[in-house]
Amino acid sequence: MLRFLVRRTVAGAAMLLVISTLAFTLLYLTGADIARNLLGDNASQEAVDLRAAQLGLDRPLGERYLDWLSGAVRGDLGTSWFGGSSVVDLLASRLGVTLSLVVLSTLLSAVVATVLGVWAAVRRGWVDRVVQVFSMAGAAIPNYLVALGLVLVFAIDLAWFAPTGYTRPEVSVGAWLASIALPVAALTVGCIAGTAQQVRSAMIDALRQDYVRTLRSRGLPERSVVYRHVLRNAAGPGLSVLALQFVGLLGGAVVIEQMFAVPGLGALSVASTRQGDIPVIMGVVVVIAVIVILVNLLIDLAQGWLDPKARTA
């Protein structure tokens, strides 16, 4: 298991290096225009050249990347070109907000999707058909339309929640839960739909295996067969699709944070992109890449624990 963990960690570090190199190259590829874009079309060429020199844009791209990488390894992602704030501080103030949305959505989706998928696979019949219809509908409807419907019903008609805004948990836990209820619900619907369908299919395949008939012939209670043996074998595909859904939720959070005025990484990345604040954009890219790599590493470890054969894959 240790070799499996080391191999996956090294692969994740290599992937992070590739992602950061590509992102840095693409963002700075038009370095000659960055200073002009920051100062505006009316700025003189002397002012543009001076600004470019101040930002280090007149240096070779490889040299700039090595400087950035050296700082990133030491936990320094540079400073914002607008306001001069530390990129690490900006990300730290937004990261918890986005993670609270995405992690809560993922956990809620995992529980509800597992219940629905197991229920549909075991009961079949009308239950199976209802779950499949829900899964197709949930996967087909974009989360921003779900968010719009939730706002119309629960914020405007029923007035149970505020349509926009965010309260930090250190101010009031109840107000924080109320402020993220609709964004989490909007992100969760599609995630439940996709994961429930995968759990259902994996459970049906596992229930048809010979070992299930053997366990039943030995007189094991059906509850034990389903929840101790079949569900464990079917958990691998469910975890894989849940990891993909987690990555999708990070992207979906960009739109949802904008709709509900939630100050997370998504809102920060949109504002930074509009301004052309490349150090902040690079920071967002790196943080999201680290999160995705860590989630995949955890999923790999979970699958390796559930199925020892996966450790040699």
Side-chain angles (χ1 to χ4, degrees):
M1 193 70 177
L2 183 59
R3 291 181 57 191
F4 177 76
L5 175 61
V6 171
R7 197 165 64 241
R8 287 292 191 270
T9 303
V10 171
M15 180 64 70
L16 182 60
L17 183 63
V18 170
I19 290 172
S20 67
T21 304
L22 287 175
F24 193 94
T25 303
L26 291 173
L27 288 172
Y28 282 95
L29 204 56
T30 56
D33 298 324
I34 292 174
R36 169 69 66 186
N37 293 336
L38 292 174
L39 295 177
D41 293 335
N42 295 327
S44 65
Q45 187 58 46
E46 290 76 12
V48 171
D49 293 340
L50 177 61
R51 184 61 171 157
Q54 290 172 341
L55 298 175
L57 299 175
D58 53 345
R59 298 160 58 203
L61 184 63
E63 186 179 325
R64 278 183 272 157
Y65 175 68
L66 290 178
D67 280 350
W68 177 89
L69 183 62
S70 173
V73 171
R74 291 181 277 108
D76 179 10
L77 294 173
T79 57
S80 168
W81 288 349
F82 297 87
S85 302
S86 163
V87 173
V88 172
D89 291 343
L90 284 174
L91 295 175
S93 66
R94 305 296 189 97
L95 179 60
V97 179
T98 297
L99 283 182
S100 65
L101 297 181
V102 175
V103 171
L104 284 175
S105 299
T106 303
L107 293 176
L108 189 59
S109 301
V111 173
V112 176
T114 301
V115 171
L116 291 177
V118 172
W119 193 29
V122 173
R123 293 289 298 273
R124 305 301 299 271
W126 69 269
V127 174
D128 189 19
R129 289 191 288 275
V130 169
V131 171
Q132 288 196 62
V133 169
F134 166 77
S135 298
M136 287 188 288
I141 301 174
N143 54 21
Y144 66 86
L145 288 181
V146 176
L148 186 59
L150 291 172
V151 168
L152 291 174
V153 175
F154 294 103
I156 295 177
D157 289 345
L158 299 177
W160 290 355
F161 304 98
T164 59
Y166 177 78
T167 303
R168 295 195 172 276
E170 55 266 30
V171 176
S172 168
V173 174
W176 170 67
L177 288 172
S179 67
I180 64 171
L182 294 184
V184 167
L187 288 170
T188 301
V189 170
C191 189
I192 289 176
T195 310
Q197 185 71 6
Q198 187 63 44
V199 172
R200 169 195 169 274
S201 300
M203 284 290 296
I204 290 175
D205 288 341
L207 284 168
R208 291 172 177 163
Q209 299 299 314
D210 291 339
Y211 75 90
V212 175
R213 284 191 286 271
T214 303
L215 292 172
R216 284 171 172 163
S217 67
R218 291 178 179 175
L220 259 67
E222 186 65 17
R223 184 182 297 273
S224 176
V225 171
V226 172
Y227 293 104
R228 287 191 57 189
H229 300 278
V230 175
L231 182 57
R232 176 168 181 165
N233 289 330
L239 286 174
S240 297
V241 75
L242 199 61
L244 293 176
Q245 296 285 4
F246 184 92
V247 176
L249 288 176
L250 283 173
V254 175
V255 178
I256 296 302
E257 286 175 7
Q258 288 292 105
M259 291 186 68
F260 289 97
V262 175
L265 281 181
L268 177 65
S269 63
V270 171
S272 302
T273 303
R274 284 176 180 163
Q275 293 177 318
D277 199 346
I278 292 180
V280 178
I281 299 171
M282 271 301 298
V284 172
V285 170
V286 169
V287 166
I288 291 180
V290 169
I291 293 173
V292 171
I293 289 170
L294 286 177
V295 168
N296 279 285
L297 178 62
L298 291 175
I299 295 297
D300 285 344
L301 290 175
Q303 288 183 330
W305 175 70
L306 290 168
D307 181 8
K309 289 186 293 185
R311 302 174 198 170
T312 60

